[in-house]
Amino acid sequence: PKVACDAMARQHMVIETEGLGTITLRLRPDAAPETVKYVTTCVDDRLYDGRHFYRSDFVIQCGLHGSGVANPHGDLKVNETASGTRISNDRGTAAIAHFDVPDCGNTEFFINLGLNAHLDTAYGGYCVFAVAEDPGSLAAVDAVAAAVKRQGKVGIRRIVVQ
């Protein structure tokens, strides 16, 4: 029961940006249990703290890309896009990034700026593992996107799972 209580208590991933607000993502282990476990392990290991959002076209993206830091967990070996509860890549959803083959997700994840349904099937699909649902989080996502377009990157103070 303590493990179950801990898992139930850890329902949100909170991203504190450098000066542009906080993005709270509701984790969706019902849709992507292995992906949620992988990302929360990376968060618990503080791999994202001090990193940046560096992409802002149809998504904002962050991770270890370009940091020179090796991922101690290796690639995510499963793409859960077609298993469990499928969540479309809609505005405010967070999905794991991968290369052109579906079973190689890594520390990179992105938050969709709009409806990107093509990502549900492209290259095996991009698995949604969390959703930003509150207006303040969506406003912070938009602020990050605008700032990345202006200045190339936005700092992440820290990310925690609670």
Side-chain angles (χ1 to χ4, degrees):
K2 181 176 183 344
V3 172
C5 290
D6 287 348
M8 295 278 295
R10 294 169 46 93
Q11 297 178 11
H12 296 92
M13 190 165 90
V14 180
I15 304 167
E16 296 177 17
T17 69
E18 292 286 347
L20 295 175
T22 299
I23 301 166
T24 300
L25 300 171
R26 182 171 56 91
L27 296 170
R28 293 294 308 269
D30 59 316
E34 292 302 315
T35 305
V36 167
K37 179 180 175 185
Y38 180 86
V39 172
T40 58
T41 298
C42 291
V43 169
D44 290 344
D45 287 349
R46 304 179 64 109
L47 295 181
Y48 299 107
D49 295 3
R51 305 287 175 243
H52 299 91
F53 283 104
Y54 62 85
R55 180 178 182 182
S56 167
D57 42 11
F58 56 98
V59 301
I60 57 172
Q61 186 166 329
C62 67
L64 294 181
H65 175 78
S67 70
V69 175
N71 176 2
H73 305 291
D75 287 344
L76 179 62
K77 302 295 184 204
V78 61
N79 182 338
E80 297 172 293
T81 300
S83 61
T85 303
R86 185 181 193 133
I87 302 170
S88 186
N89 280 274
D90 201 352
R91 175 168 165 72
T93 58
I96 198 79
H98 60 73
F99 295 107
D100 296 348
V101 293
D103 295 334
C104 68
N106 53 44
T107 61
E108 298 292 309
F109 71 88
F110 57 85
I111 301 172
N112 288 287
L113 298 175
L115 175 59
N116 292 314
H118 67 284
L119 297 178
D120 296 344
T121 56
Y123 304 112
Y126 292 83
C127 182
V128 171
F129 67 90
V131 181
E133 298 173 317
D134 66 281
S137 292
L138 293 172
V141 166
D142 292 339
V144 167
V148 170
K149 283 183 182 177
R150 280 193 316 274
Q151 62 200 37
K153 64 183 178 179
V154 168
I156 297 169
R157 286 188 53 234
R158 70 181 186 144
I159 302 179
V160 297
V161 177
Q162 41 186 237

